[in-house]
Amino acid sequence: MTALERKKGKDLRGQQVFLRPEESSAPALNTRQSTALSEQLQDALLRLAAVVDARSLRAALRDSIQELLPSTECVCYYFLEGDSRLLSEDPPHELPPEGKIRSIVEQLKRCQCAGLPLPELPEKYRICLAAPLPAHRRAVVIPILDQERNKAIAVLLVGCSPLSDQDEVHLNMLEKHASVACVRVRAVQSSYQRPPPSPSPIQSHNALLNLSVSDQDYCELDHNILQLCGELFDLDAASLQLKVINYLQQQTHSQCCCLLLVSEDNHQLFCQVVGDKVLEEEISFPLMFGRFGQVVEKKKSITLQDISAEERRQLSSMLGCEISSMLCVPVVSRATGQVVALACAFNKQGGQRHTEADEHAIQHCFCYTSTVLTSTLAFQKEQKLKVECQALLQVAKNLFTHLDDVSVLLQEIIVEARNLSDAEICSVFLLDRVSHELVAKVFDGGVVSDEEKEFRIPADQGIAGHVATTGQILNIKDAYSHPLFYRGVDDSTGFRTRNILCFPIKDENNEVIGVAELVNKMNGPWFNRFDEDLATAFSIYCGISIAHSLLYKKVHEAQFRSHLANEMMMYHMKVSEEEVCKLLVTGIQPVREIHPCFAEFTYTPRSLLDDTTPLGILSMFEDMGFINTYKIDLRTLARFCLMVKKGYRDPPYHNWTHAFSVSHFCYLLYKNLGLTNYLEDIEILALFVSCMCHDLDHRGTNNSFQVASQSVLAALYSSEGSVMERHHFAQAIAILNTFGCNIFEKFSRKDYQRVLDLIRDIILATDLAHHLRIFKDLQKMADDGFNPKSRNHRSMLLCLLMTSCDLSDQTKGWKTTRKIAELIYKEFFSQGDLEKAMGNRPSEMMDREKAYIPELQISFMEHIAMPIYKLLSELFPGATELYERVAANREQWTKVSHKFTIRGLPSNNSLDFLDQEYELLQSQGAFGSDDHCLNGCLEDEEGGRAHIRDNLTITYI
């Protein structure tokens, strides 16, 4: 349509608009394969689209269910026979007409239950379907519906695990495709019903035609017809027609003969062969074309004198010669008693008219050959259906490769719909529910440019509006006689609309999302029933592809928003050059200048001021030799340390101070236990960096809370487990990928991949659930002896060392341990308050009204902390003092427990009152000095409070 024509059409609201295809198609655009649907789902849908018989339908449904629901134990299939009987062939039995299963089927909805009544099931399926089923198994009843009749035409009984939300979505799609397949199979079956036993050919022939002809009169004809039947071995209907027509021409002495085949589904006559010539394109015309319709209806022969001059002219045009005589005889199917073809003989030799003997010869011929001919035509129809199904599969593949751009997808839909139906023009409208309008931006021949306005019509007017409102397909054989068609556009453009096939496009919820219109059938007088069925199947693929294209667009927009949010976060975490220069201005300070005891287990790293901790990290990097060994750029390292520090939030316990303390304990292990004799240098480096990053962006809540609250983190990581730990690792990678922060940039490709793998595994090991899973293996490794050449031993040792670093606050003096408990429970109780606000019941340790802190701490030390450091001391004798200090702290909790008369924390959130007895004992020399354990635990001179945190406490997960 030209721009002027389109402009004229814009004012015609509610009117039918069709656009001519341009000479050249729109330029091809780049496409990407969508990953919206899983491969199993696509395979299942495509498999169903190809079935044409009941056996392959049963197999396709069974295989599709087992692929979509991997936990499936059994699938029992019933197919509707008659009006109400539901029959199964494996084993052969009938679904009881009454009972629980039948009542579920009558509700026409899928039902999931804990089992089905035993008497209603065949013995084969009772184990996996009969009630009661265990909690991890379910019986699912799936009615397959005929949407037009609103009736179940098949039923599936499935034994499987409880259905997930994703399973429900997949089954919704499968049921729609199964419905189309079942309707198609029933239609094919109904067209091949076997006839009852019939009398001999000659008897039935005479009876059918009410003829009084003796058997002897047919002797010569019988000889000729037997010879003809011996030649009818072709599977091609045109070849069979050539032989039959040649026989008729000889028997009737006619110049030319032809067969006008009757199409029952769309009431057309079509001709494929004329004389000895197979037409390149079959000729078709309405069944009610002149007197020929009466021949079909009354089953009576006619001659040339019975037809009009116009009909004679059209027949002459089809034959390519003038007609002087004609005999048209109906061919009646012995199976159905219906007329399946009209046998026509033209121009009897010698200028004579056709006689009754000619009519008898034709009738005698088809008494023997009509069955072969109709069977071959049915076979060809089935082959055509197979080809169309294969074409539909290809269409589906084509559509699912254009999900990234809705406009390109709609253009592809137009092209495929036009090619499938052999239509002259196709238009696609999407439903805008906000404005209640049908919108077309993509037309047959291209896409509306940005300067042109998209075309809109009211969603309740015209043919497209009627289909959008009713959701039903509309096949209009004569457009100008239909009350909904507006012919003003045709009058203004000169285009003639003969017929229209308009069908709805629906989404997975069976709601109309668009309308497609096919205009002017090219190889027939109008669109037939086959086109309607094809359009129905095609519309399912259109609906799925459009819905997923829109979803694909939303996902991309969400990704862009996520990237933008990540960029904003990184911008606010950005480290300025001024901060880097300030950190490096004094150079890297030797560790002994930080504190004389900095490298001893008795040192408490929390005594350092928060602003000096990044410099402490640099000092430890230098003292462990990482900077020189791996050629780490100092400015890159400084920027990385400052970025990691900014990546921590400020909950009471899980903050940067905790990360620094954990990193310092890793340094202590390196200095005091000789880790170089146990681990490779790159593994020690990965352990130290993991300690720095292991709690990045911690929110003060644990994994269970993330899952229960259905947070964004849970949506990203819950399927893999260890939600927070995976987020910490992802944040570490984000910092490494930030410009100027990649401290591993000079690593080889192999070492770079290995160090990232190590950091991932070590950070994931901070999940106490992981530690408890491998504890027996750790104990066995300690009992058998550590093998530094074993990669598995080194991997398990790294996990143990990470856990011991994470809990290292328990190895310090009593005041530090007590203050750590105060801050941990402050964080825990905050989470418990959030859980209560959500309507959930928090665990005892998270509930400030129920938690008895001394008992929880003693249990944590006995079951978690002490076994860890006991195991560490068995591997490293130098770690014995760590175990002894944890045991001493556990004993002190026992001694002060009698002072703890409340649940939760005191009103001032402080546990200082527990120190009175400890200070008395300390003054008597019962404990070592704890004077330097101030950092992050006690008030500093200015009254500020440093924060501390940890990822692990009792089963604090």
Side-chain angles (χ1 to χ4, degrees):
M1 174 176 283
T2 65
L4 178 59
E5 292 165 350
R6 194 172 298 143
K7 183 176 181 181
K8 290 180 179 179
K10 291 178 182 176
D11 297 328
L12 305 175
R13 300 175 66 83
Q15 299 160 4
Q16 208 63 33
V17 177
F18 303 102
L19 301 170
R20 288 182 178 274
E22 301 296 336
E23 293 297 326
S24 60
S25 61
L29 301 178
N30 293 328
T31 60
R32 296 191 299 272
Q33 179 67 45
S34 170
T35 58
L37 292 178
S38 65
E39 292 183 358
Q40 292 87 346
L41 179 58
Q42 291 190 41
D43 290 343
L45 301 186
L46 297 180
R47 186 184 300 112
L48 282 176
V51 300
V52 292
D53 63 273
R55 178 174 297 179
S56 60
L57 176 61
R58 285 193 296 271
L61 284 172
R62 182 185 63 251
D63 294 344
S64 299
I65 289 290
Q66 290 175 344
E67 282 187 8
L68 296 181
L69 306 176
S71 62
T72 299
E73 287 186 352
C74 64
V75 180
C76 182
Y77 173 89
Y78 295 87
F79 198 74
L80 182 65
E81 188 77 19
D83 291 330
S84 61
R85 299 182 66 196
L86 288 167
L87 304 181
S88 175
E89 292 187 3
D90 183 25
H93 68 284
E94 180 179 355
L95 186 71
E98 296 181 355
K100 180 177 180 180
I101 301 178
R102 181 69 73 160
S103 64
I104 293 175
V105 172
E106 291 174 353
Q107 293 176 9
L108 305 181
K109 292 183 180 179
R110 182 169 64 250
C111 177
Q112 180 180 188
C113 60
L116 300 172
L118 187 70
E120 297 182 34
L121 298 170
E123 185 175 354
K124 177 178 179 179
Y125 299 108
R126 289 178 178 177
I127 296 178
C128 58
L129 292 174
L133 292 174
H136 66 282
R137 304 303 301 172
R138 285 291 183 270
V140 183
V141 181
I142 307 176
I144 306 299
L145 308 182
D146 183 342
Q147 299 295 340
E148 293 184 0
R149 299 166 58 191
N150 196 30
K151 183 176 184 179
I153 55 177
V155 177
L156 295 174
L157 305 183
V158 181
C160 60
S161 297
L163 299 179
S164 65
D165 291 343
Q166 189 63 36
D167 293 336
E168 297 278 4
V169 173
H170 286 173
L171 287 177
N172 286 342
M173 293 187 195
L174 185 68
E175 288 174 17
K176 294 177 183 178
H177 287 256
S179 173
V180 175
C182 288
V183 171
R184 182 171 63 249
V185 169
R186 286 176 61 85
V188 172
Q189 285 184 336
S190 64
S191 66
Y192 293 98
Q193 297 298 325
R194 290 188 175 184
S198 58
S200 67
I202 294 178
Q203 292 174 337
S204 63
H205 169 75
N206 292 341
L208 184 64
L209 300 176
N210 297 316
L211 295 177
S212 178
V213 183
S214 65
D215 292 351
Q216 289 79 5
D217 296 333
Y218 282 92
C219 290
E220 184 180 355
L221 287 177
D222 287 347
H223 178 272
N224 295 333
I225 200 67
L226 287 175
Q227 186 176 0
L228 172 64
C229 290
E231 299 175 358
L232 299 182
F233 51 80
D234 305 87
L235 294 179
D236 177 46
S239 299
L240 289 180
Q241 290 181 65
L242 276 174
K243 295 177 180 179
V244 172
I245 287 173
N246 180 59
Y247 173 85
L248 293 179
Q249 290 178 172
Q250 294 177 5
Q251 295 297 319
T252 61
H253 305 286
S254 299
Q255 177 186 351
C256 179
C257 291
C258 71
L259 284 176
L260 301 180
L261 303 173
V262 178
S263 175
E264 295 180 358
D265 58 352
N266 55 16
H267 306 292
Q268 293 185 40
L269 292 173
F270 60 95
C271 182
Q272 298 174 328
V273 180
V274 175
D276 58 355
K277 180 181 178 182
V278 178
L279 302 178
E280 293 183 0
E281 185 174 346
E282 66 182 32
I283 300 173
S284 60
F285 39 87
L287 179 63
M288 302 314 293
F289 172 60
R291 292 292 303 278
F292 292 102
Q294 297 180 21
V295 177
V296 174
E297 181 181 357
K298 298 181 179 180
K299 302 177 185 178
K300 298 292 185 181
S301 302
I302 60 172
T303 62
L304 185 63
Q305 287 70 31
D306 297 318
I307 65 175
S308 65
E310 176 62 22
E311 293 167 345
R312 182 173 179 175
R313 186 189 65 78
Q314 293 187 28
L315 287 174
S316 298
S317 176
M318 182 182 75
L319 298 174
C321 63
E322 287 295 328
I323 302 176
S324 58
S325 63
M326 182 195 78
L327 175 62
C328 178
V329 179
V331 178
V332 181
S333 169
R334 295 175 58 202
T336 63
Q338 300 297 319
V339 175
V340 295
L342 302 180
C344 299
F346 301 97
N347 298 349
K348 189 175 178 68
Q349 295 176 4
Q352 301 177 6
R353 294 184 179 183
H354 290 89
T355 65
E356 186 177 350
D358 296 325
E359 182 179 354
H360 290 170
I362 294 174
Q363 293 168 339
H364 180 265
C365 171
F366 286 105
C367 178
Y368 290 89
T369 61
S370 63
T371 301
V372 178
L373 185 59
T374 53
S375 297
T376 305
L377 287 169
F379 173 76
Q380 278 203 333
K381 182 178 180 181
E382 185 174 330
Q383 289 297 104
K384 181 181 178 182
L385 180 63
K386 181 179 179 180
V387 171
E388 295 293 350
C389 287
Q390 291 174 341
L392 201 58
L393 298 183
Q394 187 61 44
V395 166
K397 292 180 180 179
N398 292 341
L399 294 186
F400 287 126
T401 59
H402 295 84
L403 298 186
D404 55 338
D405 190 319
V406 176
S407 295
V408 176
L409 173 63
L410 294 177
Q411 183 67 29
E412 189 69 20
I413 288 174
I414 287 175
V415 172
E416 296 292 352
R418 193 177 66 235
N419 292 340
L420 276 176
S421 60
D422 208 3
E424 183 178 359
I425 287 177
C426 176
S427 301
V428 176
F429 297 86
L430 293 184
L431 179 61
D432 185 344
R433 296 189 181 280
V434 177
S435 63
H436 197 59
E437 292 177 317
L438 290 171
V439 185
K441 189 176 178 66
V442 179
F443 295 97
D444 200 349
V447 181
V448 175
S449 63
D450 294 336
E451 292 78 15
E452 297 182 78
K453 188 178 180 182
E454 60 193 12
F455 192 88
R456 289 176 172 266
I457 60 175
D460 57 354
Q461 295 183 20
I463 294 174
H466 174 79
V467 172
T469 303
T470 63
Q472 301 295 322
I473 192 169
L474 184 60
N475 189 353
I476 301 175
K477 298 179 180 180
D478 184 0
Y480 286 176
S481 65
H482 198 278
L484 292 176
F485 180 74
Y486 177 78
R487 59 181 296 175
V489 175
D490 278 15
D491 293 339
S492 63
T493 61
F495 181 79
R496 175 172 172 77
T497 302
R498 301 192 312 275
N499 43 73
I500 299 172
L501 178 63
C502 188
F503 58 91
I505 299 174
K506 300 181 181 181
D507 62 12
E508 298 165 5
N509 298 320
N510 204 36
E511 293 184 358
V512 176
I513 60 174
V515 171
E517 284 184 342
L518 300 170
V519 179
N520 292 353
K521 179 75 171 177
M522 299 291 287
N523 61 347
W526 50 66
F527 295 98
N528 54 37
R529 182 59 184 272
F530 186 81
D531 293 318
E532 293 179 20
D533 294 340
L534 199 61
T536 301
F538 177 70
S539 68
I540 294 176
Y541 292 104
C542 294
I544 294 174
S545 59
I546 290 174
H548 282 79
S549 180
L550 298 175
L551 179 61
Y552 185 86
K553 182 179 179 182
K554 291 181 180 178
V555 170
H556 265 273
E557 291 174 350
Q559 287 179 339
F560 293 145
R561 288 194 295 268
S562 176
H563 291 161
L564 179 61
N566 189 57
E567 288 178 2
M568 292 177 62
M569 181 190 72
M570 286 301 176
Y571 174 79
H572 291 293
M573 286 174 57
K574 187 176 180 181
V575 175
S576 66
E577 286 299 315
E578 181 182 354
E579 291 175 287
V580 175
C581 294
K582 182 179 179 181
L583 180 59
L584 296 175
V585 67
T586 59
I588 297 179
Q589 187 179 13
V591 292
R592 290 196 62 81
E593 292 184 12
I594 298 176
H595 193 282
C597 300
F598 190 82
E600 298 177 8
F601 282 126
T602 55
Y603 179 74
T604 302
R606 298 176 183 276
S607 58
L608 280 181
L609 295 176
D610 184 72
D611 291 341
T612 62
T613 50
L615 194 56
I617 294 289
L618 296 181
S619 297
M620 289 186 281
F621 259 96
E622 174 69 24
D623 196 43
M624 288 190 285
F626 294 148
I627 296 177
N628 292 330
T629 301
Y630 295 103
K631 304 296 186 294
I632 300 176
D633 181 75
L634 283 181
R635 297 185 69 82
T636 300
L637 179 60
R639 191 176 292 106
F640 174 77
C641 293
L642 292 171
M643 280 286 285
V644 171
K645 183 176 184 294
K646 288 188 175 185
Y648 279 88
R649 301 195 184 197
D650 199 29
Y653 183 65
H654 291 94
N655 52 36
W656 166 247
T657 303
H658 164 66
F660 178 75
S661 299
V662 172
S663 303
H664 176 261
F665 194 79
C666 176
Y667 168 76
L668 294 180
L669 296 178
Y670 171 83
K671 296 292 289 185
N672 294 280
L673 301 185
L675 292 186
T676 53
N677 298 322
Y678 295 80
L679 300 170
E680 298 175 1
D681 288 344
I682 194 172
E683 292 171 332
I684 300 174
L685 172 62
L687 177 63
F688 188 76
V689 174
S690 298
C691 290
M692 292 176 60
C693 303
H694 80 285
D695 274 333
L696 273 169
D697 196 42
H698 201 292
R699 284 92 188 282
T701 52
N702 61 13
N703 289 335
S704 299
F705 179 84
Q706 298 298 326
V707 174
S709 62
Q710 298 181 338
S711 67
V712 175
L713 296 183
L716 285 172
Y717 305 116
S718 61
S719 62
E720 302 173 278
S722 302
V723 173
M724 291 305 301
E725 289 74 22
R726 293 187 186 278
H727 178 59
H728 303 326
F729 173 68
Q731 292 300 106
I733 296 299
I735 291 176
L736 285 171
N737 288 335
T738 302
F739 178 77
C741 293
N742 191 355
I743 59 176
F744 307 127
E745 60 186 351
K746 295 182 180 179
F747 280 33
S748 66
R749 183 182 183 89
K750 181 179 179 181
D751 287 345
Y752 187 81
Q753 185 60 52
R754 188 182 177 201
V755 76
L756 292 186
D757 289 343
L758 286 168
I759 292 173
R760 178 198 62 215
D761 294 341
I762 294 170
I763 291 179
L764 291 179
T766 59
D767 187 347
L768 267 183
H770 175 273
H771 168 75
L772 296 175
R773 284 196 300 269
I774 68 170
F775 187 79
K776 288 185 179 179
D777 294 330
L778 291 171
Q779 188 64 62
K780 186 176 186 303
M781 179 183 70
D783 295 339
D784 296 343
F786 179 80
N787 179 11
K789 295 182 180 180
S790 169
R791 191 157 191 166
N792 183 51
H793 275 204
R794 295 201 309 274
S795 176
M796 287 196 296
L797 180 61
L798 284 170
C799 294
L800 176 63
L801 294 175
M802 182 68 243
T803 305
S804 63
C805 292
D806 211 5
L807 303 183
S808 59
D809 283 318
Q810 306 303 322
T811 69
K812 306 303 178 182
W814 162 252
K815 287 188 177 181
T816 301
T817 299
R818 187 267 302 161
K819 195 64 180 180
I820 292 300
E822 177 183 305
L823 296 176
I824 286 176
Y825 286 102
K826 183 178 179 182
E827 186 173 299
F828 282 4
F829 295 158
S830 294
Q831 175 178 320
D833 294 342
L834 290 174
E835 290 178 305
K836 291 178 182 178
M838 291 164 51
N840 298 332
R841 178 182 295 178
S843 62
E844 181 181 343
M845 73 177 65
M846 304 288 181
D847 194 334
R848 65 175 70 250
E849 298 175 356
K850 297 181 180 180
Y852 185 60
I853 292 177
E855 182 181 280
L856 293 172
Q857 284 299 105
I858 292 170
S859 177
F860 165 67
M861 289 186 167
E862 288 181 348
H863 296 97
I864 304 295
M866 291 176 65
I868 287 174
Y869 293 103
K870 179 66 174 176
L871 192 58
L872 194 66
S873 65
E874 293 175 7
L875 291 167
F876 302 94
T880 303
E881 64 176 286
L882 301 175
Y883 173 75
E884 293 173 348
R885 197 168 292 117
V886 175
N889 285 329
R890 182 256 177 223
E891 187 64 27
Q892 184 61 23
W893 276 109
T894 303
K895 291 178 180 180
V896 302
S897 61
H898 67 278
K899 291 189 175 183
F900 220 103
T901 59
I902 61 172
R903 299 281 175 173
L905 287 169
S907 58
N908 61 356
N909 289 328
S910 173
L911 297 178
D912 292 348
F913 69 92
L914 299 178
D915 291 346
Q916 296 174 1
E917 182 175 343
Y918 174 81
E919 291 171 351
L920 176 62
L921 293 173
Q922 186 182 42
S923 66
Q924 298 172 359
F927 304 105
S929 173
D930 195 29
D931 293 339
H932 54 281
C933 300
L934 302 177
N935 174 10
C937 297
L938 302 180
E939 301 281 351
D940 59 26
E941 295 179 357
E942 298 178 358
R945 185 182 300 269
H947 299 283
I948 39 182
R949 73 190 194 122
D950 185 8
N951 183 24
L952 314 160
T953 25
I954 190 165
T955 310
Y956 292 175
I957 305 297

